[in-house]
Each structure stands twice: as C-alpha cells, then as structure tokens.
Amino acid sequence: MADSSLLTSAAGRTSLADSSIFDSKVTETSTTYVEEEMPQIETRMILVQEAGKQEELKKAIKEIKVPFVKMESVEEFEGLDSPEFENVFIVTDFRNPVFNHLYKADCRIIGPPVVLSCAQKGEPLPFSCRPLYCTSMINLVLCFTGFRKKEELVRLVTLVHHMGGVIRKDFNSKVTHLVANYTQGEKFRVAVSLGTPIMKPEWIYKAWERRNEQDFCAAADNFKNEFKVPPFQDCVLSFLGFSDEEKTNMEEMTEMQGGSYLPVGDERCTHLIVEENIVKELPFEPSEKLYVVKQEWFWGSIQMDARAGETMYLYEKANTPELKKSVSLLSLNTPNSNRKRRRLKDTLAQLSRETDMSPFPPQTPKSCTKSSKNSTPVPLKQSARWQVAKELYQTESNYVNILATIIQLFQIPLEEEGQRGGPILVPEEIKTIFGSIPDIFDVHTKIKDDLEDLIINWDESKSIGDIFLKYSKDLIKTYPPFVNFFEMRKETIIKCEKQKPRFHAFLKINQAKPECGRQSLVELLIRPVQRLPSVALLLNDLKKHTADENPDKSTLEKAIGSLKEVMTHINEDKRKTEAQKQIFDVFYEVDGCPANLLSSHRSLVQRVETVSLGEHPCDRGEQVTLFLFNDCLEIARKRHKVIGTFRSPHSHTRPPPPLKHIHLMPLSQIKKVLDIRETEDCHNAFALLVRPPTEQANVLLSFQMTSEELPKESWLKMLCRHVANTICKADAENLIYTADPESFEVNTKDMDSTLSRASRAIKKTSKKVTRAFSFSKTPKSALRRALMTSHGSAEGRSPPSNNKHVVNRLTSTSSLAGIPSPSLVSLPSFFERRSHTLSRSTTHLI
C-alpha cells in the first residue's frame, strides 16, 4: 500500500503522494522529473556562406528568437557540432559542395524562404527529414506516369521534395496532382475519372524557378492552369461528316486544346471524329491504331478539360456484326418470342406517345391517370371551344417541357459543385444567363396543371380565363426581369462561348441531345419572350368560340386584358431599362461627367452633333455634342489630343473617353430658343439664350448642326417642348423665335475652310503651350474675387460713356427673355473665357 503511494526519481529521492491530490500533482512532478533528468536541446541556426550575408534573413531569425552563427566552409562543421544545440543549416544553393556534404551527414537543411515565411506568419520552423528550400508545394501529393528516363524522374522528385511536396508511387484518392509525360496509361485514366489535375513536367520546373518568391503557391489556379495537360495532347484528329463551318471551328478548337489535325485518311491520324447523324458508312477501312469516335468524345474532352476515354464513344455502324450478334442472341435466348415482340411493340408505342407532348387523343398523361368521380369521358366529337382549349393545353405543356430542359440540361449542371476541371462558368454569369427561368417554370407548371384538370374534367361552363387571372400577378413579377435583359443574356452566352472553350463544348454536347431538338441555348431561351403573345392569341381565339351567354366570355376578356397589362408592363420596364443604359453610356462617354446625371427619373431624348459658332460654351469651331435629357442638357466637346503626357510606356490604361464635359445645364435655364434664318453665309444654325440663376447676365450660345439625320426644325421643336415641360408651361411654341444671323453676328461661312481649321488648331496649341509653361498661374476664382472687389469699390458710379452701347444691347437682350436688364456684364463661371457682347438689338425679333 505504501509502495503504491511513492514516486521515485532517478536521484533516489522519494515523496509521499496523498491519494486525494495524486492526480493534480502527477503532471507537476513528471515535469520536474524531465527537467532534472533530460537536458533541453536548443535550436540553433547556422548560416552557411552566402546566407550569412543576407541582412533580411538575419532580421527574420531575430524575430523568431533563435540563436544563429555563421559557417564559411566545411572545415568549420565539426566545431559547430554540440549536444546542447540542434543545428539547422540555412543554405542558399542546394547544388554546391557544402550542401552535398551536409546532406550526406544527415543534417537538417532549410532554405532562406522557409525562415522568411515563418517570421512573416509567426509560425515555428517546419520539421522535414529531407532538405526543404521552400514551402510552395506544401500539402501537395504528386504521382508520376509516362517517364522513361530515370534521371529526369529523379530530378523532378528531388525538386518536389525541396518544395515540400510528397510523392506517391501508386495513384490513389489522396493524390492531388498527376504529372504525366503522355496521355495514356492506367494512372492517366484514373486521374481523368476522378477529376485530378494532370500536369506537365514544366509545372515543377517553373515552380522551382519561383522558389524565392514569398507567398507563392504552385497549386494556385492562375499559375498551374498554364501547365495543365491539354485534352488533345499527342492527338492528331480528322473530321468526317461536318459542314465546312463546323469543321473549321473544330480544327481551331483542336489546336487551341493542344492537338493537331490532318485530312481524313492520313495514316498519321490517331482519331477520326465522325458526325454519326450523317455518316452511315466509313469511306475506308480504319486501322487498328485509329480511334473512330463520335463527336461527343471531342466536345466531352474539352468540357472535362482532359482526354476522355475512347471506348465509351466508339462509332459503330447500325449493321455491324457485333450489333447483329447481340440482337440475334436476344431473340434466340428469349422464350415466347411473339410475346416479346408484342411487348417491344408496346414499348415503342409508349415511347412515341412520350415524345408527343400532347396527351390527346387518345391517351391520357401519366400525371392524370388518377381516377376522379367527377371526371367525364371525352366524347369523340367536341366543340370548337374544346379544340382551342386542348391546343392551349398542348402548347402550355410543350412550353413547360422546354423550360424544364433549360433548367435540367443547362442550369443545374452549370451550378453543380465539384465539376471536373473546375466550374465552367462563374455564378454571376450563370445568374445573368438564366435569371428568373426557375420562377417562370414554377408559374407555368401551375397553369399547366390547372389546364390539365380542366381538360380532363371538361365542361363547356368551365372557366379558362380564371386560370390566367389567378396567376396574372405572378406573371407580372417573373417576366419583366427576364424579357428586359434578354439581349444581355444573349450577349453573355456569345461572349462566354468565345472565351471559354469548355462552355462551348458543354453547349455542343447538350444541343445534340434529343431533348433540345438540336436547338441552341439562345433559341431555347427566346421562348419565354414569345410565350405571352401566343397565349393572348389563343385566348382571343377561344373567346371567339365561346357563346355570349357563357360566363367565361367576360372572364376571357379580363384575362386577355391582364395579359396585355403584363406585356405593357414588360415593354414599359424594358423602355426604362434601355433608357437607363443610355444614360450610363453617356456617363462613360463624357470625361468628367457629373455623377448627378445618373437619376432614375431621367431619360435621354436626343443626341445632336454641332459646331460652336461663338466664344461660348467653347472656342469657335470646336465640335460640341449636345445630349438632351427630359430635364437637362449635357454640353460636351470633342476631346483634344493630349500632348506631352508623362506616362510609362509599359502602362496599360483604357482609352480616354472621346468627349470632355463642359456643363450640365437644367432646361429651366434656357429662356429662349433662336432659330437662325438660312442665308448664303449661315446654314443650320441656332442659338440658346441662357441665364444661370446665380448670374445677372444672359449668355448667347450659338451652334451649327452637323448631323443630317435630324432636321433643325424637329430638333428645335423637341427642345422647346421639353423646356416647356420643365418650367410647367403649355405654350412651348412661344419659346422659339426666328432671327436673322446678322443680329447676332452668326455665320458658318468659314467653318469648313482649311485656313480656318489651321488657325483654330494653332490657337488651341498656343493656349496649351502657354498653360504648360506658365509658372505663375492665377486661379480663376482669385481673378473673379478681384473683379468683384473692384466692382464693389466702383459701386454707385455711372458706367463710362464708351460702354453705354453695351448696356443698351444687354437691355434689349434682357427684354427678349422677359427679365430685368442688368447694369453690368457678368458671365457665368462655366463660360468664363473672354468677354462677349451682342452686336445688335434683338427687340425687333419679338
């Protein structure tokens, strides 16, 4: 009893352990025992040769708080051996003689990237029984196949170990990557079936070249995807039975996927791809080495991003001996062949009935085989109303099947996780393509079920209109989001098909399936756009064959009205969506465009290309684009070519917008619209009399229209109508006035002359050079403050006599706009370039 309560140490000391506190003391006593008997070994780093000269490495070791010493030669190795330290040798070159000596001495060797990574992450040094230079392949398990040269294989295995990877001789589920030298063999087939990435040997060599990069991982997708074994590596393909366009497309895809192609019949071909629906017999006897496969093998390999097994896709003629033998054995080994033939006949009949989407006549859909006491048998001869109702149900059933095909064959496979070769499309692209298709499918499935019950339990008094009225709100909710963005869905499919070969192959495989009827995904997705108008036509036809005393007559009218409301809602939403898209196009086309242009209530009305005829809003002769919105006018000029910009030649930037923002003007600031008469020196000219709310003066903006699509008269009427709507005036015609060009010194005579264009170009260049080399630039705000100060000091004085004619002209211009005449000229800030006065009185125009 006493012996069991004693803990004896190697030093001969004993201590009594009370049974009540034994459990709590045993850990402490055991720790004391280890500390007393087992000397602790401290880790010490030895910087070999070049490693001792790296200051960054020394700093990292200090952060890890591990002692270190330097070693310059092999002779110092014996003197560094000590039982108090576990030496970890840091070597920068794993090929020099010092490394070989340490490796043969079974020393623990690591590279500088391991130390730097541990210091950065605050982690302890990893333990490895092999030399470890970096951790770019840590947690990777590799297997090799197809290597005949032992030296190459040994070199690759050594590099993988140096980067922290693990090698397995046999392929199993734990292998993360297969490194293949050719695309055959059992390991290759198993890797394809498991979806394991199959890599080229260059992947390892390139990863080793980047061994000194911090945070580099050889398994990163953006790196390893460059070195995946393409599906058609080592394959020479030929194509039989395809159109010239399809053949050209498939040949381009072959080269893109690492293969090559030759004409049909060339002995160097490894695969013959056959269009099984067209080719009934091969033009030659294929050799034993040639794989004759269906086109599904071609597209399936691209979709899987790996060469698919040929045995599943072999092409066989319908009268091949193997097929004949299997059929004869089936008939010989089956007793009571007459019964089997009858059963086969029934099965074929059932298959033909299933391919026919309509259950009428004479069979009933499987979903409707449940007995109903209230159901009445369908007579052989039915009314015209029943025939139209039956057609409505048949088309609805077909439509639901098409929606189910879109979801089951296209959407669900694309959304599945763990796709072989990785996701074909990103979630955003899938959402853009399919949108509200599942919601539309749910609504129409309910409509189809209700129509099915109504047809089976048919009675002339049954209401079909109630069914569509019942789901009208659901139709309004589900259809606009799909129809409004259909063009975007179509563009996304086309773009992804061009940029992603796996998606193109995925579409080709599904398009060949009987469920699609050889229709493309775009052709299937357009069905929801067409469905509601066709339903409205059928309901109209049904109303024609419904008696006036039938209660369903008025209900059908309401149902047709609800469908028209849905379609109107769709068209209105589509119009709004397109209008918003146009605003965004303007926003990105005009550099410096204000963000407040983007508004939900705003829509683009018209775009007009013009040339400035005055000094405002920009220099005379500059090309100006006017964007008329329902409540404002965006004025932008053509962007000048940038000269002397200091930009790196290696920088990749998107091209600058073609237009430069000048001013976003509310339409309420336009007081008058002047239609300038056509003369010999003035063509297609008009002017706007503008008064900003913060200014006291009117500014005349004159333009010449250069676009021939829109007549000037139509443009001016459109502009006045929207100005009147903005200021809540009914008389839009009173805003427009006809004026002589001489009244405003407006002419277009020199706009197209070469001398005038050259003069304007020199003037612009001179301004740019002056601004570029000006070392004392005075801000415009400072100039304005100075002018305001001088104006305030001169307040109360009468204007000089030589400026009286200017005041008179401004007075007459103000009377044209119906506002008080200002005493002095004050140009708006956004038009402040140089002073501008009107040369003639315009009072006679009113």
Side-chain angles (χ1 to χ4, degrees):
M1 175 72 77
D3 294 340
S4 63
S5 302
L6 292 176
L7 290 177
T8 308
S9 66
R13 295 179 299 143
T14 61
S15 59
L16 182 64
D18 189 278
S19 59
S20 61
I21 58 170
F22 180 80
D23 293 335
S24 61
K25 292 289 186 179
V26 65
T27 305
E28 180 182 353
T29 308
S30 300
T31 304
T32 305
Y33 170 81
V34 173
E35 290 178 352
E36 290 178 356
E37 293 302 317
M38 297 291 294
Q40 285 192 347
I41 300 177
E42 187 177 4
T43 301
R44 181 177 63 177
M45 293 188 181
I46 301 177
L47 306 181
V48 179
Q49 295 179 341
E50 293 297 324
K53 301 176 182 178
Q54 297 183 7
E55 296 298 328
E56 184 181 6
L57 184 60
K58 295 178 184 178
K59 183 179 178 181
I61 295 174
K62 291 178 180 178
E63 291 179 3
I64 300 176
K65 298 179 180 179
V66 176
F68 68 90
V69 295
K70 298 180 182 179
M71 188 181 84
E72 295 294 336
S73 61
V74 179
E75 289 73 15
E76 301 177 23
F77 172 68
E78 298 296 337
L80 294 173
D81 191 16
S82 171
E84 299 178 0
F85 296 100
E86 179 191 7
N87 293 326
V88 179
F89 294 85
I90 303 177
V91 183
T92 57
D93 188 0
F94 276 24
R95 293 174 298 181
N96 63 11
V98 177
F99 169 80
N100 294 330
H101 179 81
L102 296 173
Y103 178 65
K104 291 178 181 178
D106 200 20
C107 296
R108 185 180 172 188
I109 307 172
I110 61 174
V114 176
V115 180
L116 296 174
S117 177
C118 292
Q120 180 183 1
K121 299 177 182 178
E123 298 175 351
L125 292 174
F127 179 81
S128 176
C129 58
R130 300 185 181 92
L132 180 66
Y133 188 87
C134 63
T135 57
S136 56
M137 281 194 174
I138 202 77
N139 298 325
L140 300 187
V141 181
L142 276 64
C143 186
F144 292 84
T145 183
F147 291 88
R148 296 183 178 180
K149 296 181 180 180
K150 184 178 179 181
E151 296 79 9
E152 182 183 10
L153 183 60
V154 170
R155 172 65 177 161
L156 290 170
V157 169
T158 303
L159 293 180
V160 171
H161 285 156
H162 289 347
M163 291 184 284
V166 179
I167 305 296
R168 289 288 180 266
K169 181 180 179 181
D170 299 323
F171 191 91
N172 54 42
S173 59
K174 294 183 180 180
V175 174
T176 59
H177 297 78
L178 176 68
V179 182
N181 211 21
Y182 65 93
T183 57
Q184 294 179 3
E186 183 180 354
K187 292 181 180 179
F188 185 89
R189 290 285 155 233
V190 175
V192 171
S193 63
L194 294 178
T196 304
I198 304 174
M199 312 302 297
K200 299 177 183 178
E202 289 80 3
W203 174 54
I204 298 175
Y205 291 127
K206 290 295 181 180
W208 179 249
E209 289 179 5
R210 300 179 61 176
R211 61 188 179 275
N212 290 314
E213 296 183 18
Q214 290 293 322
D215 301 324
F216 169 70
C217 178
D221 290 338
N222 56 355
F223 174 74
K224 74 174 184 180
N225 287 343
E226 300 179 19
F227 306 100
K228 278 188 174 182
V229 174
F232 301 137
Q233 181 173 303
D234 306 328
C235 296
V236 183
L237 311 183
S238 58
F239 304 92
L240 180 63
F242 300 94
S243 65
D244 293 340
E245 184 179 357
E246 288 178 319
K247 184 179 177 183
T248 302
N249 179 34
M250 296 175 81
E251 288 173 349
E252 292 175 355
M253 297 290 289
T254 300
E255 291 183 335
M256 192 183 302
Q257 299 299 322
S260 58
Y261 59 90
L262 290 171
V264 175
D266 196 298
E267 296 180 354
R268 292 170 292 176
C269 289
T270 60
H271 294 75
L272 175 62
I273 317 299
V274 178
E275 168 55 277
E276 62 274 14
N277 297 316
I278 296 178
V279 177
K280 303 302 180 185
E281 189 172 350
L282 297 179
F284 63 93
E285 188 65 29
S287 63
E288 295 182 357
K289 296 182 179 180
L290 180 66
Y291 289 105
V292 183
V293 293
K294 305 173 185 176
Q295 63 169 327
E296 192 177 353
W297 173 85
F298 179 85
W299 298 116
S301 298
I302 297 176
Q303 181 184 336
M304 292 190 303
D305 202 19
R307 177 177 165 184
E310 291 83 0
T311 54
M312 296 177 59
Y313 305 97
L314 292 177
Y315 169 79
E316 292 181 357
K317 295 183 292 185
N319 57 349
T320 54
E322 292 80 3
L323 188 59
K324 287 182 177 179
K325 183 178 179 181
S326 61
V327 173
S328 62
L329 288 175
L330 178 63
S331 60
L332 289 174
N333 296 335
T334 305
N336 200 349
S337 58
N338 291 332
R339 185 177 63 187
K340 289 293 181 182
R341 290 194 192 98
R342 193 162 52 248
R343 183 181 301 170
L344 178 60
K345 184 178 180 181
D346 295 339
T347 303
L348 293 175
Q350 178 65 23
L351 287 175
S352 65
R353 288 196 298 270
E354 289 179 358
T355 54
D356 183 10
M357 299 299 181
S358 168
F360 306 102
Q363 68 274 5
T364 305
K366 293 180 179 180
S367 60
C368 303
T369 54
K370 55 185 180 181
S371 59
S372 175
K373 296 180 181 180
N374 298 327
S375 62
T376 57
V378 177
L380 294 177
K381 293 184 179 180
Q382 279 290 351
S383 64
R385 173 176 159 83
W386 185 86
Q387 295 292 341
V388 178
K390 183 188 74 169
E391 183 182 356
L392 178 61
Y393 168 74
Q394 289 173 347
T395 56
E396 189 70 17
S397 180
N398 293 344
Y399 179 57
V400 170
N401 287 335
I402 290 173
L403 295 177
T405 298
I406 294 172
I407 295 172
Q408 294 171 3
L409 287 188
F410 294 94
Q411 184 175 1
I412 292 177
L414 289 173
E415 290 177 341
E416 282 182 352
E417 296 182 358
Q419 298 176 32
R420 187 176 300 173
I424 297 176
L425 296 179
V426 297
E428 291 78 10
E429 292 169 337
I430 297 173
K431 186 176 181 181
T432 301
I433 291 173
F434 297 100
S436 58
I437 282 287
D439 298 329
I440 296 175
F441 173 73
D442 292 340
V443 175
H444 281 274
T445 301
K446 297 173 184 177
I447 294 175
K448 188 205 78 167
D449 292 341
D450 290 353
L451 287 173
E452 193 172 274
D453 292 337
L454 185 143
I455 293 294
I456 293 176
N457 305 293
W458 176 256
D459 186 272
E460 289 291 333
S461 61
K462 290 291 182 68
S463 177
I464 296 178
D466 283 337
I467 296 175
F468 289 92
L469 287 175
K470 177 181 176 181
Y471 298 104
S472 61
K473 291 184 179 180
D474 294 330
L475 295 175
I476 291 178
K477 193 180 299 182
T478 56
Y479 267 91
F482 184 86
V483 177
N484 292 343
F485 296 97
F486 175 75
E487 290 301 323
M488 185 187 297
R489 304 179 201 284
K490 183 178 177 181
E491 292 172 2
T492 303
I493 293 173
I494 295 173
K495 183 190 71 174
C496 292
E497 197 171 0
K498 289 181 179 179
Q499 297 178 353
K500 302 185 178 184
R502 294 180 60 211
F503 180 62
H504 178 73
F506 173 79
L507 295 181
K508 284 289 185 181
I509 292 173
N510 286 327
Q511 185 176 338
K513 293 180 180 178
E515 297 94 321
C516 292
R518 302 188 68 82
Q519 296 182 82
S520 65
L521 178 58
V522 174
E523 292 171 333
L524 294 174
L525 285 174
I526 204 174
R527 297 301 183 90
V529 180
Q530 303 168 340
R531 181 56 187 164
L532 291 186
S534 64
V535 171
L537 292 175
L538 285 171
L539 291 182
N540 267 316
D541 196 14
L542 190 65
K543 188 182 74 170
K544 292 178 183 178
H545 294 91
T546 301
D548 294 339
E549 62 273 8
N550 194 325
D552 196 29
K553 183 96 171 181
S554 59
T555 309
L556 284 172
E557 291 179 354
K558 294 179 182 178
I560 295 170
S562 68
L563 284 180
K564 289 182 179 179
E565 182 183 350
V566 175
M567 289 185 283
T568 303
H569 191 80
I570 290 172
N571 294 333
E572 182 66 20
D573 279 4
K574 187 175 183 181
R575 187 190 65 78
K576 290 180 180 178
T577 302
E578 291 174 351
Q580 291 295 316
K581 185 177 181 297
Q582 289 176 339
I583 296 178
F584 275 100
D585 291 341
V586 173
F587 183 78
Y588 289 113
E589 187 180 1
V590 179
D591 183 26
C593 187
N596 58 0
L597 176 70
L598 304 175
S599 178
S600 59
H601 71 275
R602 184 166 291 142
S603 59
L604 179 65
V605 178
Q606 187 63 47
R607 171 180 179 153
V608 177
E609 301 295 337
T610 67
V611 174
S612 177
L613 299 179
E615 301 301 328
H616 310 297
C618 53
D619 291 336
R620 176 179 173 83
E622 286 208 54
Q623 298 180 24
V624 177
T625 302
L626 304 178
F627 296 96
L628 175 61
F629 294 90
N630 59 325
D631 63 341
C632 63
L633 183 70
E634 166 64 23
I635 305 175
R637 64 168 172 81
K638 186 178 179 181
R639 191 185 184 97
H640 300 152
K641 291 184 180 179
V642 181
I643 302 175
T645 54
F646 299 96
R647 184 176 297 174
S648 171
H650 303 288
S651 62
H652 300 280
T653 57
R654 56 185 296 179
L659 300 176
K660 180 73 175 178
H661 168 74
I662 297 178
H663 183 62
L664 180 61
M665 179 195 304
L667 294 183
S668 58
Q669 295 181 10
I670 300 177
K671 301 305 178 183
K672 299 296 177 187
V673 177
L674 303 181
D675 182 8
I676 308 299
R677 287 192 179 97
E678 295 291 317
T679 63
E680 185 178 351
D681 295 336
C682 189
H683 300 286
N684 260 359
F686 70 96
L688 304 177
L689 193 65
V690 179
R691 184 187 180 189
T694 57
E695 304 294 336
Q696 296 180 348
N698 299 319
V699 179
L700 190 70
L701 312 179
S702 54
F703 305 93
Q704 179 191 22
M705 294 181 64
T706 58
S707 54
E708 299 178 356
E709 295 82 4
L710 182 66
K712 183 179 73 170
E713 182 181 1
S714 301
W715 156 245
L716 296 181
K717 287 183 178 179
M718 183 189 306
L719 176 60
C720 289
R721 185 172 67 252
H722 286 281
V723 172
N725 292 338
T726 303
I727 62 178
C728 301
K729 281 190 176 182
D731 50 347
E733 297 177 356
N734 293 337
L735 292 172
I736 187 168
Y737 288 89
T738 304
D740 293 322
E742 294 82 6
S743 302
F744 302 96
E745 294 183 357
V746 175
N747 70 83
T748 62
K749 186 176 181 179
D750 61 340
M751 284 295 101
D752 298 326
S753 65
T754 305
L755 182 62
S756 177
R757 288 197 298 268
S759 175
R760 291 195 298 268
I762 294 172
K763 188 177 180 182
K764 292 175 187 175
T765 306
S766 175
K767 283 186 176 183
K768 291 178 187 176
V769 173
T770 303
R771 286 196 298 264
F773 290 94
S774 176
F775 295 97
S776 59
K777 299 178 181 179
T778 307
K780 291 182 180 180
S781 57
L783 290 175
R784 280 197 294 270
R785 285 195 299 269
L787 290 173
M788 291 174 65
T789 304
S790 62
H791 171 65
S793 62
E795 206 169 46
R797 302 176 187 174
S798 61
S801 59
N802 57 351
N803 287 338
K804 289 182 179 179
H805 66 284
V806 177
V807 177
N808 292 333
R809 290 170 188 167
L810 287 173
T811 304
S812 61
T813 306
S814 302
S815 64
L816 175 65
I819 57 175
S821 174
S823 59
L824 291 174
V825 177
S826 177
L827 296 180
S829 59
F830 60 91
F831 294 131
E832 186 171 2
R833 295 174 181 269
R834 63 176 66 93
S835 62
H836 175 68
T837 61
L838 303 177
S839 61
R840 291 178 180 269
S841 174
T842 55
T843 53
H844 65 281
L845 297 178
I846 305 177

